[in-house]
């Protein structure tokens, strides 16, 4: 695994997200209201909107555009999306968020 720092934990307030490109891959890092971090492909597989305004709840991330939900572990979709969302591993070290886009 190869984790790349994408910013400090203080940069992303709980309930918000950040778009970032890692090794040429456009991703979104979201911080839940509870404070945990999750990384995923930037584009929602339903219609391509950014997941940056996604909402994390009950083990899923919900796209803010049309409400498709994706499992945070597997990326498996629920209606209206049919294709899975790519989920990436996140590591928190010394106050920084790092993501492995090659996993
Ligand atoms: S673009 Fe995400 S649900 Fe439609």
């Amino acid at each position: 695994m190869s984790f790349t720092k994408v910013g400090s934990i203080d940069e992303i307030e709980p309930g918000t997200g950040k778009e970032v490109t890692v090794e040429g891959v456009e991703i979104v890092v979201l911080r839940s209201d509870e404070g945990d971090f999750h990384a995923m492909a930037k584009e929602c597989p339903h219609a391509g909107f950014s997941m940056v305004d996604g909402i994390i709840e009950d083990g899923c991330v919900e796209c803010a555009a049309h409400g498709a939900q994706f499992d945070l572990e597997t990326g498996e979709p629920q209606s209206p999306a049919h294709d899975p969302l790519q989920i990436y591993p996140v590591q928190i070290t010394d106050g920084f968020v790092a993501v492995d886009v090659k996993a």
Side-chain angles (χ1 to χ4, degrees), residues 7-46:
S8 76
I9 59 173
D10 297 332
E11 281 179 51
I12 308 172
E13 297 290 323
T16 69
K18 173 184 177 180
E19 295 178 352
V20 61
T21 300
V22 178
E23 298 184 42
V25 180
E26 291 185 312
I27 67 168
V28 161
V29 179
L30 297 179
R31 188 174 186 181
S32 73
D33 286 336
E34 290 74 33
D36 50 313
F37 290 86
H38 301 273
M40 62 209 65
K42 176 184 164 186
E43 287 191 3
C44 176
H46 175 236

Side-chain angles (χ1 to χ4, degrees), residues 44 46-51 53-55 61-70:
C44 176
H46 175 236
F49 283 72
S50 175
M51 295 297 295
D53 294 320
I55 300 157
V61 56
E62 180 178 314
C63 178
H66 311 109
Q69 294 183 332
F70 303 89

